[in-house]
Amino acid sequence: MRKSHPVRRAVLATAATVSGIVLLLSLKPASDPGSAEAAGGAPPAAESVQGGARPIGDGTVTGDAARTQYGAVQVRLTVSGGRITKAEAVQAPKGGQSDQVTSNAVPRLNQAAVQAQGADIDAVSGATYTSAGYKESLQSALDKARASAPAGTGGGDAAQARTVTGEAAQTQYGPVQVRITVSGGKITKAEAVQAPKGGQSDQVTSDAVPKLNQAAVQAGTADIDAVSGATYTSAGYKESLQSALDKAGG
């Protein structure tokens, strides 16, 4: 029987060992955290359901009208607890075939907006232009709602309450400007920081403004009745109140 040479056996054993080490090194998983994240090993940073770091403020807010080839699309949102609870199109293409397209597409888009809690929704088949306009106005409404949200992230009434001043409304007898305090999506206080004054206007203002302030808090909107004998002041008050509500997100 032929015997193996000792030197030959040693060379073969050394070569096998080196090959094994090379193979193990090639199979070793990457230890670079960046590589793991790029491969999907680390989850993405969490974002709010509305697609941004800042929450959306409670209330009702209407986005800017988006112009499309077949007409304007404008979306209104109702927000409660920082979530979209209702979406509706207050404007949509109409007339001719647009009536059928709108009646089919808008309910689906409304539902999608509530489900997605943002403007990242799919277009409805056969309603490409209406869908694009809807998403544009929806994003505008979300932007307005975020702008009205409290800057703080903590809970409690202190974090939710905010004060907003509407634009001054010019009237025949002088400007009217309203400031409101909003908490929990409701007007808790309304006051006129500007009102007509001088002469008979002093009496009219002292009589009308307290009534208008009370009406604004009770109604929670700018849909309030004019005070008898103070038509111009009432109209200016309502205009500035609506401006404040728009800034506050509805």
Side-chain angles (χ1 to χ4, degrees):
M1 182 175 179
R2 187 178 179 182
K3 295 183 179 181
S4 300
H5 197 282
V7 175
R8 184 179 180 184
R9 287 202 303 270
V11 170
L12 291 174
T14 302
T17 301
V18 171
S19 299
I21 293 173
V22 171
L23 179 61
L24 287 173
L25 288 174
S26 66
L27 295 176
K28 185 179 179 182
S31 59
D32 183 6
S35 300
E37 184 176 352
E47 292 186 350
S48 72
V49 292
Q50 294 83 25
R54 189 171 183 177
I56 54 178
D58 290 353
T60 302
V61 59
T62 304
D64 294 333
R67 302 293 173 184
T68 77
Q69 183 174 333
Y70 298 100
V73 182
Q74 189 171 26
V75 179
R76 177 188 295 145
L77 299 178
T78 301
V79 181
S80 179
R83 292 184 59 82
I84 300 171
T85 57
K86 183 180 180 183
E88 55 187 326
V90 294
Q91 285 193 75
K94 57 184 178 180
Q97 190 177 354
S98 292
D99 290 337
Q100 183 177 349
V101 174
T102 293
S103 63
N104 175 58
V106 167
R108 297 184 185 184
L109 293 167
N110 292 338
Q111 184 179 8
V114 175
Q115 289 178 343
Q117 292 294 304
D120 187 15
I121 58 177
D122 294 331
V124 174
S125 178
T128 305
Y129 291 101
T130 298
S131 298
Y134 187 100
K135 292 174 67 175
E136 182 181 338
S137 184
L138 172 58
Q139 185 61 61
S140 169
L142 286 167
D143 291 342
K144 290 182 179 181
R146 286 195 188 97
S148 72
T153 56
D157 291 340
Q160 295 179 3
R162 58 194 184 279
T163 301
V164 183
T165 304
E167 300 293 336
Q170 302 300 325
T171 76
Q172 185 174 332
Y173 297 100
V176 181
Q177 190 171 28
V178 179
R179 177 189 297 143
I180 58 174
T181 301
V182 180
S183 179
K186 296 182 179 180
I187 300 174
T188 58
K189 182 180 180 181
E191 55 185 326
V193 294
Q194 285 193 76
K197 58 184 179 180
Q200 189 176 355
S201 292
D202 289 338
Q203 183 177 346
V204 173
T205 294
S206 63
D207 174 62
V209 166
K211 295 179 181 179
L212 293 166
N213 291 338
Q214 184 179 7
V217 174
Q218 289 177 344
T221 70
D223 186 16
I224 58 177
D225 293 332
V227 174
S228 179
T231 304
Y232 291 102
T233 298
S234 299
Y237 187 101
K238 292 173 66 174
E239 181 181 338
S240 183
L241 173 58
Q242 184 61 61
S243 170
L245 285 168
D246 290 342
K247 291 182 179 181

